Coordinates of all heavy atoms in Angstrom, one line a residue:
M1 N 0.9 -1.2 0.0 CA 0.0 0.0 0.0 C 0.9 1.3 0.0 O 1.8 1.3 0.7 CB -0.9 0.0 1.2 CG -2.0 1.0 1.2 SD -3.1 0.9 2.6 CE -2.8 2.5 3.3
I2 N 0.5 2.2 -0.8 CA 1.2 3.5 -0.9 C 0.6 4.5 0.0 O -0.6 4.8 -0.1 CB 1.3 4.0 -2.4 CG1 1.9 2.9 -3.2 CG2 2.0 5.3 -2.5 CD1 1.8 3.2 -4.7
E3 N 1.4 5.1 0.9 CA 0.9 6.2 1.8 C 1.6 7.5 1.2 O 2.8 7.5 1.0 CB 1.3 5.9 3.2 CG 0.9 7.0 4.1 CD 1.4 6.8 5.6 OE1 2.3 5.9 5.8 OE2 1.0 7.6 6.4
V4 N 0.8 8.6 1.1 CA 1.3 9.8 0.7 C 1.2 10.9 1.8 O 0.1 11.1 2.3 CB 0.6 10.4 -0.7 CG1 1.2 11.7 -1.0 CG2 0.7 9.3 -1.7
K5 N 2.3 11.5 2.1 CA 2.3 12.6 3.2 C 2.6 13.9 2.5 O 3.5 14.0 1.6 CB 3.3 12.3 4.2 CG 2.9 11.0 5.0 CD 4.0 10.8 6.1 CE 3.6 9.6 7.0 NZ 4.7 9.3 7.9
Q6 N 2.0 15.0 2.9 CA 2.2 16.3 2.4 C 3.0 17.1 3.3 O 2.7 17.1 4.5 CB 0.9 17.0 2.0 CG 1.1 18.4 1.4 CD -0.2 19.1 1.2 OE1 -1.3 18.7 1.6 NE2 -0.1 20.2 0.4
N7 N 4.0 17.9 2.8 CA 4.7 18.9 3.5 C 4.4 20.2 2.9 O 4.6 20.3 1.6 CB 6.2 18.5 3.5 CG 6.5 17.2 4.2 OD1 6.2 17.0 5.4 ND2 7.1 16.3 3.4
N8 N 4.1 21.2 3.6 CA 3.8 22.5 2.9 C 4.2 23.7 3.8 O 4.1 23.6 5.0 CB 2.2 22.5 2.7 CG 1.8 23.8 2.0 OD1 2.4 24.2 1.1 ND2 0.6 24.3 2.4
D9 N 4.8 24.7 3.1 CA 5.1 26.0 3.8 C 4.5 27.1 2.9 O 3.9 26.8 1.9 CB 6.5 26.1 4.2 CG 7.5 26.2 3.0 OD1 7.0 26.7 2.0 OD2 8.6 25.8 3.2
E10 N 4.9 28.3 3.2 CA 4.4 29.4 2.5 C 4.8 29.5 1.0 O 4.1 30.0 0.2 CB 4.8 30.7 3.2 CG 4.0 31.0 4.4 CD 4.4 32.2 5.1 OE1 5.0 33.1 4.5 OE2 4.3 32.3 6.4
K11 N 6.0 28.9 0.7 CA 6.5 29.0 -0.7 C 6.6 27.7 -1.4 O 6.5 27.7 -2.7 CB 7.9 29.6 -0.6 CG 7.9 31.1 -0.2 CD 9.2 31.7 -0.2 CE 9.2 33.2 0.2 NZ 10.4 33.9 0.3
H12 N 6.9 26.7 -0.7 CA 7.1 25.3 -1.4 C 6.4 24.2 -0.6 O 5.9 24.4 0.5 CB 8.6 25.0 -1.4 CG 9.5 26.0 -2.0 ND1 9.6 26.2 -3.3 CD2 10.2 27.0 -1.4 CE1 10.4 27.2 -3.6 NE2 10.8 27.7 -2.4
G13 N 6.3 23.1 -1.2 CA 5.8 21.9 -0.6 C 6.1 20.7 -1.4 O 6.8 20.7 -2.4
S14 N 5.7 19.5 -0.8 CA 5.9 18.3 -1.5 C 4.8 17.3 -1.1 O 4.2 17.4 0.0 CB 7.3 17.7 -1.2 OG 7.4 17.4 0.1
F15 N 4.7 16.2 -1.9 CA 3.9 15.1 -1.6 C 4.9 13.9 -1.6 O 5.5 13.7 -2.7 CB 2.8 14.8 -2.6 CG 1.7 16.0 -2.5 CD1 1.8 17.1 -3.3 CD2 0.7 15.8 -1.6 CE1 0.9 18.1 -3.2 CE2 -0.3 16.8 -1.6 CZ -0.2 18.0 -2.4
E16 N 5.1 13.2 -0.6 CA 6.1 12.1 -0.5 C 5.4 10.9 -0.3 O 4.5 10.7 0.6 CB 7.1 12.4 0.6 CG 8.3 11.4 0.5 CD 9.5 11.7 1.4 OE1 9.4 12.8 2.2 OE2 10.4 11.0 1.4
A17 N 5.8 9.9 -1.2 CA 5.1 8.6 -1.1 C 5.9 7.6 -0.3 O 7.2 7.6 -0.5 CB 4.9 8.0 -2.6
F18 N 5.3 6.7 0.4 CA 6.0 5.7 1.2 C 5.3 4.4 1.0 O 4.1 4.2 0.9 CB 5.9 6.1 2.7 CG 6.6 7.3 3.2 CD1 5.9 8.5 3.1 CD2 7.8 7.3 3.6 CE1 6.5 9.7 3.4 CE2 8.5 8.5 3.9 CZ 7.8 9.7 3.9
I19 N 6.2 3.4 0.8 CA 5.7 2.0 0.7 C 6.3 1.2 1.9 O 7.5 1.2 2.1 CB 6.1 1.3 -0.6 CG1 5.5 2.0 -1.8 CG2 5.7 -0.2 -0.6 CD1 5.9 1.5 -3.1
D20 N 5.4 0.7 2.8 CA 5.9 0.1 4.0 C 6.8 1.0 4.9 O 7.8 0.5 5.4 CB 6.6 -1.3 3.7 CG 5.6 -2.3 3.0 OD1 4.5 -2.3 3.3 OD2 6.1 -3.0 2.2
G21 N 6.5 2.2 4.9 CA 7.2 3.2 5.7 C 8.5 3.7 5.1 O 9.2 4.5 5.7
I22 N 8.9 3.2 3.9 CA 10.1 3.6 3.2 C 9.8 4.5 2.1 O 8.9 4.3 1.3 CB 10.9 2.3 2.7 CG1 11.2 1.4 3.9 CG2 12.1 2.7 1.9 CD1 11.6 0.0 3.5
S23 N 10.5 5.6 2.0 CA 10.3 6.6 1.0 C 10.4 6.0 -0.4 O 11.4 5.3 -0.7 CB 11.3 7.7 1.1 OG 11.1 8.7 0.1
A24 N 9.3 6.2 -1.3 CA 9.3 5.6 -2.6 C 9.4 6.7 -3.7 O 9.7 6.3 -4.9 CB 8.1 4.8 -2.7
G25 N 9.1 7.9 -3.4 CA 9.1 9.0 -4.3 C 8.7 10.3 -3.7 O 8.1 10.3 -2.6
K26 N 8.9 11.4 -4.6 CA 8.5 12.7 -4.1 C 8.1 13.6 -5.2 O 8.7 13.5 -6.3 CB 9.8 13.3 -3.4 CG 9.5 14.6 -2.6 CD 10.7 15.0 -1.9 CE 10.5 15.8 -0.6 NZ 11.7 16.1 0.1
M27 N 7.1 14.3 -5.0 CA 6.6 15.3 -6.0 C 6.7 16.7 -5.3 O 6.1 16.9 -4.2 CB 5.2 15.1 -6.4 CG 4.5 16.1 -7.3 SD 2.8 15.6 -7.7 CE 3.1 14.3 -9.0
T28 N 7.4 17.6 -5.9 CA 7.6 18.9 -5.3 C 6.8 20.0 -6.0 O 6.4 19.9 -7.2 CB 9.1 19.3 -5.3 OG1 9.5 19.4 -6.6 CG2 9.9 18.4 -4.5
Y29 N 6.4 21.0 -5.3 CA 5.7 22.1 -5.9 C 6.1 23.4 -5.3 O 6.6 23.5 -4.2 CB 4.1 21.9 -5.7 CG 3.6 21.9 -4.3 CD1 3.2 23.0 -3.7 CD2 3.4 20.7 -3.7 CE1 2.7 22.9 -2.4 CE2 2.9 20.6 -2.4 CZ 2.5 21.7 -1.7 OH 2.0 21.6 -0.5
T30 N 5.8 24.5 -6.0 CA 6.1 25.9 -5.6 C 4.7 26.7 -5.7 O 4.0 26.6 -6.7 CB 7.1 26.5 -6.5 OG1 8.3 25.7 -6.5 CG2 7.5 27.9 -6.0
W31 N 4.5 27.5 -4.6 CA 3.3 28.3 -4.7 C 3.5 29.4 -5.7 O 4.5 30.1 -5.7 CB 3.0 28.8 -3.3 CG 2.4 27.8 -2.4 CD1 3.0 27.1 -1.4 CD2 1.0 27.4 -2.4 NE1 2.1 26.2 -0.9 CE2 0.9 26.3 -1.4 CE3 -0.1 27.7 -3.2 CZ2 -0.3 25.7 -1.2 CZ3 -1.3 27.0 -2.9 CH2 -1.4 26.1 -1.9
A32 N 2.4 29.7 -6.4 CA 2.4 30.8 -7.4 C 1.2 31.7 -7.0 O 0.1 31.6 -7.5 CB 2.2 30.3 -8.8
G33 N 1.4 32.5 -6.0 CA 0.3 33.2 -5.3 C -0.4 32.4 -4.3 O 0.1 31.3 -4.0
E34 N -1.5 32.8 -3.9 CA -2.3 32.1 -2.9 C -3.3 31.0 -3.4 O -3.7 30.1 -2.7 CB -3.1 33.0 -2.0 CG -2.2 33.9 -1.2 CD -3.0 34.8 -0.2 OE1 -4.2 34.5 0.0 OE2 -2.5 35.8 0.2
E35 N -3.6 31.1 -4.7 CA -4.6 30.3 -5.3 C -4.1 29.2 -6.2 O -4.8 28.3 -6.7 CB -5.6 31.1 -6.1 CG -6.3 32.2 -5.3 CD -7.0 31.6 -4.1 OE1 -7.7 30.6 -4.2 OE2 -6.9 32.2 -3.0
R36 N -2.8 29.2 -6.5 CA -2.2 28.2 -7.5 C -0.8 27.7 -7.0 O -0.1 28.4 -6.3 CB -2.0 28.9 -8.8 CG -3.2 29.5 -9.5 CD -2.9 30.2 -10.7 NE -2.0 31.4 -10.3 CZ -1.8 32.4 -11.2 NH1 -2.1 32.3 -12.4 NH2 -1.0 33.4 -10.8
F37 N -0.6 26.5 -7.4 CA 0.8 26.0 -7.2 C 1.3 25.2 -8.4 O 0.5 24.7 -9.2 CB 0.9 25.1 -5.9 CG 0.0 23.9 -5.8 CD1 0.5 22.6 -6.3 CD2 -1.3 23.9 -5.4 CE1 -0.3 21.5 -6.2 CE2 -2.1 22.8 -5.3 CZ -1.6 21.6 -5.7
I38 N 2.6 25.2 -8.6 CA 3.2 24.6 -9.7 C 3.8 23.4 -9.3 O 4.7 23.3 -8.4 CB 4.3 25.6 -10.3 CG1 3.7 27.0 -10.6 CG2 5.1 24.9 -11.5 CD1 4.8 28.0 -10.8
I39 N 3.4 22.2 -9.9 CA 4.1 21.0 -9.7 C 5.3 21.0 -10.6 O 5.3 21.1 -11.9 CB 3.3 19.8 -10.1 CG1 2.0 19.7 -9.2 CG2 4.1 18.5 -10.0 CD1 1.0 18.6 -9.6
D40 N 6.6 21.1 -10.0 CA 7.8 21.3 -10.7 C 8.7 20.1 -10.9 O 9.5 20.0 -11.7 CB 8.6 22.5 -10.1 CG 8.6 22.5 -8.7 OD1 8.7 21.4 -8.0 OD2 8.6 23.6 -8.1
H41 N 8.5 19.1 -10.1 CA 9.4 17.9 -10.2 C 8.7 16.7 -9.6 O 8.0 16.8 -8.5 CB 10.7 18.1 -9.5 CG 11.6 17.1 -9.6 ND1 12.3 16.8 -10.8 CD2 12.1 16.2 -8.7 CE1 13.1 15.7 -10.6 NE2 13.0 15.4 -9.4
T42 N 8.8 15.6 -10.2 CA 8.3 14.2 -9.7 C 9.4 13.3 -9.9 O 10.0 13.2 -10.9 CB 7.1 13.7 -10.5 OG1 6.1 14.7 -10.4 CG2 6.5 12.5 -9.9
E43 N 9.7 12.6 -8.8 CA 10.8 11.6 -8.9 C 10.3 10.3 -8.1 O 9.8 10.4 -7.0 CB 12.0 12.2 -8.1 CG 13.3 11.3 -8.2 CD 14.5 12.1 -7.7 OE1 14.6 13.3 -7.8 OE2 15.3 11.3 -7.1
V44 N 10.5 9.2 -8.7 CA 10.2 7.9 -8.1 C 11.4 7.1 -8.1 O 12.1 7.0 -9.1 CB 9.0 7.2 -8.9 CG1 8.8 5.8 -8.4 CG2 7.7 8.0 -8.9
K45 N 11.7 6.5 -6.9 CA 12.9 5.6 -6.8 C 12.8 4.5 -7.8 O 11.7 3.9 -8.0 CB 13.0 5.2 -5.4 CG 13.2 6.4 -4.5 CD 13.9 6.1 -3.2 CE 14.2 7.3 -2.4 NZ 14.5 7.2 -1.0
E46 N 13.9 4.2 -8.4 CA 13.9 3.2 -9.5 C 13.3 1.9 -9.1 O 12.6 1.3 -10.0 CB 15.4 3.0 -9.9 CG 15.5 2.4 -11.3 CD 17.0 2.3 -11.7 OE1 17.7 3.3 -11.5 OE2 17.3 1.3 -12.3
E47 N 13.5 1.4 -7.9 CA 13.0 0.1 -7.5 C 11.4 0.1 -7.4 O 10.7 -0.9 -7.3 CB 13.6 -0.4 -6.2 CG 13.3 0.5 -5.0 CD 14.4 1.6 -4.8 OE1 15.1 1.9 -5.7 OE2 14.5 2.0 -3.6
N48 N 10.8 1.3 -7.5 CA 9.4 1.5 -7.4 C 8.7 1.9 -8.7 O 7.5 2.1 -8.7 CB 9.1 2.5 -6.2 CG 9.5 2.0 -4.9 OD1 9.2 1.0 -4.5 ND2 10.3 2.9 -4.2
N49 N 9.4 2.0 -9.8 CA 8.9 2.2 -11.1 C 7.8 1.2 -11.4 O 7.9 0.0 -11.1 CB 9.9 2.2 -12.1 CG 10.8 3.5 -12.1 OD1 10.5 4.4 -11.5 ND2 11.9 3.4 -12.8
G50 N 6.7 1.7 -12.0 CA 5.6 0.8 -12.4 C 4.7 0.4 -11.3 O 3.7 -0.4 -11.5
K51 N 4.8 0.9 -10.1 CA 4.0 0.6 -9.0 C 2.9 1.6 -8.7 O 2.1 1.5 -7.8 CB 4.8 0.4 -7.7 CG 5.8 -0.8 -7.7 CD 6.5 -0.9 -6.5 CE 7.5 -2.1 -6.6 NZ 8.3 -2.2 -5.3
G52 N 2.8 2.7 -9.6 CA 1.8 3.7 -9.4 C 2.1 4.7 -8.4 O 1.2 5.5 -7.9
V53 N 3.4 4.8 -8.0 CA 3.8 5.8 -7.0 C 3.5 7.2 -7.5 O 2.9 8.1 -6.8 CB 5.3 5.6 -6.6 CG1 5.7 6.7 -5.7 CG2 5.4 4.2 -6.0
G54 N 3.9 7.5 -8.7 CA 3.7 8.9 -9.3 C 2.3 9.2 -9.3 O 1.9 10.4 -9.0
K55 N 1.4 8.3 -9.7 CA 0.0 8.5 -9.8 C -0.6 8.9 -8.5 O -1.4 9.7 -8.3 CB -0.7 7.3 -10.5 CG -2.2 7.6 -10.7 CD -2.8 6.4 -11.4 CE -4.3 6.8 -11.6 NZ -5.0 5.7 -12.2
E56 N -0.2 8.1 -7.4 CA -0.7 8.3 -6.1 C -0.4 9.7 -5.6 O -1.2 10.4 -5.0 CB -0.2 7.3 -5.1 CG -1.0 5.9 -5.3 CD -2.5 6.0 -5.2 OE1 -3.0 6.6 -4.3 OE2 -3.1 5.4 -6.1
M57 N 0.8 10.2 -5.9 CA 1.3 11.5 -5.4 C 0.5 12.6 -6.2 O 0.0 13.6 -5.6 CB 2.8 11.7 -5.6 CG 3.6 10.8 -4.8 SD 5.4 11.2 -4.8 CE 5.8 10.6 -6.5
L58 N 0.3 12.3 -7.5 CA -0.5 13.3 -8.3 C -2.0 13.3 -7.8 O -2.5 14.4 -7.7 CB -0.5 12.9 -9.8 CG -1.2 13.9 -10.7 CD1 -0.5 15.3 -10.8 CD2 -1.4 13.3 -12.1
L59 N -2.6 12.2 -7.5 CA -3.9 12.2 -7.0 C -4.0 12.9 -5.6 O -5.0 13.6 -5.3 CB -4.4 10.7 -6.9 CG -4.7 10.0 -8.2 CD1 -5.1 8.6 -8.0 CD2 -5.7 10.8 -9.0
A60 N -2.9 12.8 -4.8 CA -3.0 13.5 -3.5 C -2.9 15.0 -3.8 O -3.6 15.8 -3.2 CB -1.7 13.1 -2.7
A61 N -2.1 15.5 -4.8 CA -2.0 16.9 -5.2 C -3.4 17.3 -5.7 O -3.8 18.4 -5.3 CB -0.9 17.1 -6.2
V62 N -4.1 16.6 -6.5 CA -5.3 17.0 -7.0 C -6.4 17.0 -5.9 O -7.2 18.0 -5.8 CB -5.8 16.0 -8.1 CG1 -7.3 16.2 -8.5 CG2 -4.9 16.1 -9.4
G63 N -6.3 16.1 -5.0 CA -7.2 16.1 -3.9 C -7.1 17.3 -3.0 O -8.0 17.9 -2.5
F64 N -5.8 17.6 -2.7 CA -5.5 18.9 -1.9 C -6.0 20.1 -2.6 O -6.7 20.9 -2.0 CB -4.0 18.9 -1.8 CG -3.5 20.3 -1.2 CD1 -3.7 20.6 0.2 CD2 -2.9 21.2 -2.0 CE1 -3.3 21.8 0.7 CE2 -2.5 22.4 -1.5 CZ -2.7 22.7 -0.1
A65 N -5.8 20.2 -4.0 CA -6.3 21.4 -4.7 C -7.8 21.5 -4.6 O -8.4 22.5 -4.4 CB -5.8 21.3 -6.2
R66 N -8.5 20.3 -4.8 CA -10.0 20.4 -4.8 C -10.5 20.8 -3.4 O -11.4 21.6 -3.3 CB -10.5 19.0 -5.2 CG -10.4 18.7 -6.7 CD -10.9 17.3 -7.0 NE -10.8 17.1 -8.5 CZ -10.7 15.9 -9.0 NH1 -10.7 14.8 -8.2 NH2 -10.7 15.7 -10.3
K67 N -9.9 20.2 -2.4 CA -10.4 20.4 -1.0 C -10.2 21.9 -0.6 O -11.0 22.4 0.1 CB -9.6 19.5 -0.1 CG -10.0 19.6 1.3 CD -9.2 18.6 2.2 CE -9.4 18.8 3.7 NZ -8.6 18.2 4.5
N68 N -9.1 22.5 -1.1 CA -8.8 23.8 -0.8 C -9.1 24.9 -1.8 O -8.7 26.1 -1.6 CB -7.3 23.9 -0.3 CG -7.0 23.0 0.9 OD1 -7.4 23.4 2.0 ND2 -6.5 21.9 0.7
G69 N -9.7 24.5 -2.8 CA -10.1 25.5 -3.9 C -8.9 26.1 -4.6 O -8.9 27.3 -5.0
K70 N -7.8 25.3 -4.8 CA -6.7 25.8 -5.5 C -6.6 25.2 -6.9 O -7.3 24.3 -7.2 CB -5.4 25.3 -4.7 CG -5.3 25.6 -3.3 CD -5.3 27.1 -3.0 CE -5.3 27.4 -1.5 NZ -5.7 28.7 -1.1
K71 N -5.7 25.8 -7.7 CA -5.4 25.4 -9.1 C -4.0 24.9 -9.2 O -3.2 25.3 -8.5 CB -5.7 26.5 -10.1 CG -7.2 26.9 -10.2 CD -8.0 25.9 -10.9 CE -9.5 26.3 -11.0 NZ -10.3 25.3 -11.6
I72 N -3.8 24.0 -10.2 CA -2.5 23.5 -10.4 C -1.9 23.9 -11.8 O -2.6 23.8 -12.7 CB -2.5 21.9 -10.3 CG1 -2.9 21.5 -8.9 CG2 -1.2 21.3 -10.7 CD1 -3.1 20.0 -8.8
I73 N -0.6 24.2 -11.8 CA 0.1 24.4 -13.1 C 1.1 23.3 -13.2 O 2.1 23.3 -12.4 CB 0.8 25.8 -13.1 CG1 -0.1 26.9 -12.8 CG2 1.6 26.0 -14.4 CD1 0.5 28.2 -12.5
P74 N 0.9 22.3 -14.1 CA 1.9 21.2 -14.2 C 3.0 21.5 -15.1 O 2.9 21.4 -16.3 CB 1.0 20.1 -14.6 CG -0.1 20.8 -15.5 CD -0.3 22.1 -14.9
L75 N 4.2 21.8 -14.5 CA 5.4 22.1 -15.4 C 6.2 20.8 -15.5 O 6.9 20.6 -16.5 CB 6.2 23.2 -14.7 CG 5.7 24.6 -14.9 CD1 6.8 25.6 -14.4 CD2 5.3 24.9 -16.3
C76 N 6.2 19.9 -14.6 CA 7.0 18.7 -14.6 C 6.3 17.8 -15.7 O 5.1 17.7 -15.8 CB 7.0 18.0 -13.3 SG 6.5 16.3 -13.2
P77 N 7.2 17.2 -16.6 CA 6.7 16.4 -17.7 C 5.7 15.2 -17.3 O 4.7 15.0 -17.9 CB 7.9 15.7 -18.3 CG 9.0 16.7 -17.9 CD 8.6 17.3 -16.5
F78 N 6.0 14.6 -16.1 CA 5.1 13.6 -15.6 C 3.7 14.1 -15.4 O 2.7 13.5 -15.8 CB 5.7 12.8 -14.4 CG 4.7 11.9 -13.8 CD1 4.5 10.6 -14.3 CD2 4.0 12.3 -12.7 CE1 3.5 9.8 -13.7 CE2 3.0 11.4 -12.1 CZ 2.8 10.2 -12.6
A79 N 3.6 15.1 -14.6 CA 2.4 15.7 -14.2 C 1.6 16.3 -15.4 O 0.4 16.0 -15.5 CB 2.6 16.8 -13.2
K80 N 2.3 16.9 -16.3 CA 1.7 17.4 -17.5 C 1.1 16.3 -18.4 O -0.1 16.4 -18.8 CB 2.8 18.2 -18.3 CG 2.2 19.1 -19.4 CD 3.3 19.9 -20.0 CE 2.7 21.1 -20.7 NZ 3.6 22.2 -21.1
A81 N 1.8 15.2 -18.6 CA 1.3 14.1 -19.4 C 0.1 13.4 -18.7 O -0.8 13.0 -19.3 CB 2.4 13.1 -19.6
S82 N 0.2 13.3 -17.3 CA -0.9 12.7 -16.6 C -2.2 13.5 -16.7 O -3.2 12.9 -16.9 CB -0.5 12.5 -15.1 OG 0.7 11.7 -15.0
F83 N -2.1 14.8 -16.6 CA -3.3 15.6 -16.7 C -3.8 15.6 -18.2 O -5.0 15.5 -18.3 CB -3.0 17.1 -16.4 CG -3.0 17.4 -15.0 CD1 -1.9 17.7 -14.2 CD2 -4.2 17.4 -14.3 CE1 -1.9 18.0 -12.9 CE2 -4.3 17.7 -12.9 CZ -3.1 17.9 -12.2
Q84 N -3.0 15.5 -19.2 CA -3.5 15.4 -20.6 C -4.2 14.1 -20.8 O -5.1 14.0 -21.5 CB -2.3 15.6 -21.5 CG -1.8 17.0 -21.6 CD -0.5 17.1 -22.4 OE1 0.2 16.1 -22.7 NE2 -0.1 18.4 -22.7
K85 N -3.8 13.0 -20.1 CA -4.4 11.7 -20.3 C -5.7 11.5 -19.6 O -6.5 10.7 -19.9 CB -3.4 10.6 -19.9 CG -2.3 10.3 -20.8 CD -1.5 9.1 -20.3 CE -0.1 9.5 -20.2 NZ 0.8 8.5 -19.5
S86 N -5.8 12.3 -18.4 CA -7.0 12.1 -17.5 C -7.9 13.2 -17.5 O -7.6 14.2 -16.7 CB -6.5 11.8 -16.1 OG -5.6 10.6 -16.1
E87 N -9.0 13.2 -18.3 CA -9.9 14.3 -18.3 C -10.5 14.6 -17.0 O -10.8 15.8 -16.6 CB -11.0 14.1 -19.4 CG -11.5 15.3 -20.0 CD -12.4 15.0 -21.2 OE1 -11.8 14.5 -22.2 OE2 -13.6 15.2 -21.1
E88 N -10.7 13.6 -16.1 CA -11.4 13.8 -14.9 C -10.5 14.6 -13.9 O -11.1 15.0 -12.8 CB -11.8 12.4 -14.3 CG -10.7 11.6 -13.8 CD -10.1 10.7 -14.9 OE1 -10.4 10.8 -16.1 OE2 -9.3 9.8 -14.5
L89 N -9.3 14.8 -14.1 CA -8.4 15.6 -13.3 C -8.3 17.0 -13.7 O -7.8 17.8 -12.9 CB -7.0 14.9 -13.2 CG -6.9 13.5 -12.8 CD1 -5.4 13.1 -12.8 CD2 -7.4 13.2 -11.4
Q90 N -8.8 17.3 -14.8 CA -8.5 18.7 -15.4 C -9.3 19.8 -14.8 O -9.0 21.0 -15.1 CB -8.7 18.6 -16.9 CG -7.7 17.7 -17.6 CD -8.0 17.6 -19.1 OE1 -8.8 18.3 -19.7 NE2 -7.2 16.7 -19.8
D91 N -10.2 19.5 -13.9 CA -10.9 20.6 -13.2 C -10.0 21.5 -12.3 O -10.4 22.6 -12.0 CB -12.1 20.0 -12.4 CG -11.6 19.1 -11.3 OD1 -11.0 18.0 -11.6 OD2 -11.9 19.4 -10.2
V92 N -8.8 21.0 -12.0 CA -7.9 21.7 -11.1 C -6.9 22.4 -11.9 O -6.1 23.1 -11.3 CB -7.3 20.9 -10.0 CG1 -8.4 20.3 -9.1 CG2 -6.5 19.7 -10.6
L93 N -6.9 22.3 -13.2 CA -5.8 23.0 -14.0 C -6.1 24.5 -14.1 O -7.2 24.9 -14.2 CB -5.7 22.4 -15.4 CG -5.1 21.0 -15.5 CD1 -5.2 20.5 -16.9 CD2 -3.7 21.0 -15.0
V94 N -5.0 25.3 -14.2 CA -5.1 26.7 -14.5 C -5.5 26.8 -16.0 O -4.9 26.1 -16.8 CB -3.8 27.4 -14.2 CG1 -3.9 28.9 -14.7 CG2 -3.6 27.5 -12.7
N95 N -6.5 27.6 -16.3 CA -6.9 27.7 -17.7 C -6.0 28.7 -18.4 O -5.6 29.7 -17.9 CB -8.3 28.2 -17.7 CG -9.3 27.2 -17.2 OD1 -9.0 26.0 -17.2 ND2 -10.4 27.6 -16.7

């Protein structure tokens, strides 16, 4: 099971994924004002490739955005491609 924890401060934040308590990957973001944040980097540890770690972190970011009325700017290639493939996630994108 993948557990995702969020770290957030006024300027930056991250969603970090853990499998059995061990770090499996990290998605970082930077705040762009109070209403938007930029997903700037996604990294999954090599041994966890193909396990859905990146997707779980992205879903956590989308859930956070929806819950808090925020929008996402996906600059990282993984996040950008994931949003393009999944129409049901696009409600949180900056237009």
Side-chain angles (χ1 to χ4, degrees):
M1 192 177 118
I2 300 169
E3 179 188 7
V4 179
K5 293 182 180 174
Q6 182 182 11
N7 299 302
N8 185 35
D9 66 31
E10 288 178 23
K11 293 186 180 177
H12 305 281
S14 66
F15 293 92
E16 189 169 2
F18 296 87
I19 297 176
D20 298 326
I22 299 166
S23 177
K26 192 174 204 176
M27 175 178 283
T28 61
Y29 61 90
T30 303
W31 284 100
E34 292 184 18
E35 301 303 315
R36 300 175 296 191
F37 61 94
I38 300 164
I39 296 176
D40 43 34
H41 185 69
T42 304
E43 189 172 326
V44 174
K45 297 201 173 164
E46 201 172 318
E47 63 269 21
N48 297 308
N49 284 345
K51 295 182 180 176
V53 173
K55 184 177 182 183
E56 286 301 315
M57 292 186 292
L58 183 68
L59 291 175
V62 169
F64 170 75
R66 285 178 177 156
K67 182 179 172 191
N68 294 285
K70 308 297 183 197
K71 293 287 186 181
I72 296 174
I73 302 167
L75 288 189
C76 129
F78 169 79
K80 195 170 194 167
S82 298
F83 277 111
Q84 287 171 346
K85 282 187 239 169
S86 303
E87 208 169 293
E88 69 273 10
L89 302 179
Q90 294 178 7
D91 60 298
V92 296
L93 286 178
V94 170
N95 294 333

